[in-house]
Amino acid sequence: SEIADTVQASLDDLRRISRELRPEALDDLGLVNALIALCSRIGQQSGLRVGRDFEPQLPALASDIELVIYRVAQEALTNVLRHAHASHVDVSLRRTEGRVVLIVRDDGRGLPETLSATSGVAGMRERAMLIGAELDIESHPDAGVEVRLAVPVAEDRA
């Protein structure tokens, strides 16, 4: 009985780790719907108003690119919850001039200087670099933070 409980706990941990590596929502729902679910969950858990603006017809993206976009949005929203003292955050994902651009913008107090060197921000930068994307983080004291991830995409040729 004890061994069975240990094995079950290990399987549960393995499933959790697997979900954290690549959220099931990305495979089951696609990027836009996974972001909608993420925004809804953040809003419900925190009471934060989360605005969404997602272009419905994004170009097909490789799974590693989708994962980076999702993880950057997730980390940016987590930072808003932990540090911004914001009442509202907007999340958008649109195609613009050969790029897919994710923007997470809050109305909080701005980015503390100590946060710019944390592992979360460093992780976002590393993820962006791995897919050849640009990550910009602009902080405005008492006026919020904007995280902007611009991912180059191939232009459609008709």
Side-chain angles (χ1 to χ4, degrees):
S1 172
E2 190 175 317
I3 292 173
D5 289 344
T6 301
V7 168
Q8 185 61 47
S10 296
L11 287 172
D12 291 344
D13 286 344
L14 184 59
R15 285 188 194 101
R16 180 185 51 77
I17 291 167
S18 175
R19 276 193 308 273
E20 290 173 1
L21 291 174
R22 178 155 177 96
E24 290 175 358
L26 278 177
D27 292 326
D28 295 346
L29 305 174
L31 177 60
V32 170
N33 287 324
L35 288 171
I36 290 170
L38 173 66
C39 290
S40 295
R41 189 173 64 247
I42 293 289
Q44 289 169 353
Q45 289 174 350
S46 67
L48 183 68
R49 290 180 306 150
V50 182
R52 303 181 305 230
D53 178 23
F54 301 134
E55 188 171 318
Q57 298 299 321
L58 292 170
L61 300 169
S63 63
D64 60 332
I65 292 173
E66 287 185 343
L67 181 59
V68 168
I69 292 170
Y70 182 87
R71 291 298 189 203
V72 168
Q74 185 179 43
E75 182 64 33
L77 287 168
T78 299
N79 285 341
V80 170
L81 291 177
R82 289 183 180 160
H83 308 288
H85 299 283
S87 61
H88 186 85
V89 63
D90 287 310
V91 181
S92 71
L93 184 64
R94 312 224 30 99
R95 183 179 185 156
T96 307
E97 301 172 2
R99 297 172 181 213
V100 170
V101 179
L102 169 75
I103 298 175
V104 180
R105 181 182 301 127
D106 69 71
D107 66 354
R109 62 182 182 180
L111 191 66
E113 288 185 30
T114 57
L115 188 62
S116 62
T118 66
S119 62
V121 172
M124 286 192 289
R125 292 193 188 287
E126 289 172 14
R127 288 177 189 274
M129 185 181 66
L130 288 173
I131 62 167
E134 295 175 21
L135 180 75
D136 295 308
I137 301 173
E138 291 185 19
S139 177
H140 308 282
D142 298 319
V145 173
E146 178 178 292
V147 175
R148 183 178 187 274
L149 177 72
V151 181
V153 294
E155 290 292 325
D156 292 336
R157 305 278 184 227

